[in-house]
Amino acid sequence: VSQSRYLVARKKTENWILWMGVNMAYILIYFYKDLHGYMVLYTLYLLLAVMGHREWSKKTKVANGKD
């Protein structure tokens, strides 16, 4: 998780992919542990990570002139 924070600080789009993986792992763990409230929470985090990746990817393309 600390690597994800480093990538966020450096504005690397790869951080969102790492967070997606972490969130998917937690979703599975909470599903098997019957902690469905936490599973829903991490599903929302996963959706936010997908949206963040899309947004940062768009901004990176615009900044690099690859519109």
Side-chain angles (χ1 to χ4, degrees), residues 2-66:
S2 62
Q3 184 179 5
S4 296
R5 291 181 186 163
Y6 172 79
L7 292 171
V8 169
R10 295 289 175 193
K11 302 272 188 208
K12 300 288 186 182
T13 57
E14 295 86 1
N15 86 81
W16 294 109
I17 296 169
L18 185 59
W19 278 116
M20 285 184 247
V22 169
N23 291 331
M24 285 188 276
Y26 276 114
I27 290 167
L28 290 173
I29 290 168
Y30 291 137
F31 176 77
Y32 287 116
K33 295 286 186 175
D34 289 326
L35 296 170
H36 300 292
Y38 284 112
M39 187 183 74
V40 171
L41 177 65
Y42 276 84
T43 301
L44 293 174
Y45 289 158
L46 176 61
L47 293 173
L48 289 172
V50 169
M51 291 169 36
H53 183 265
R54 285 184 181 170
E55 186 67 27
W56 278 28
S57 293
K58 285 181 194 176
K59 288 182 178 182
T60 302
K61 287 179 185 177
V62 169
N64 293 334
K66 297 179 183 175

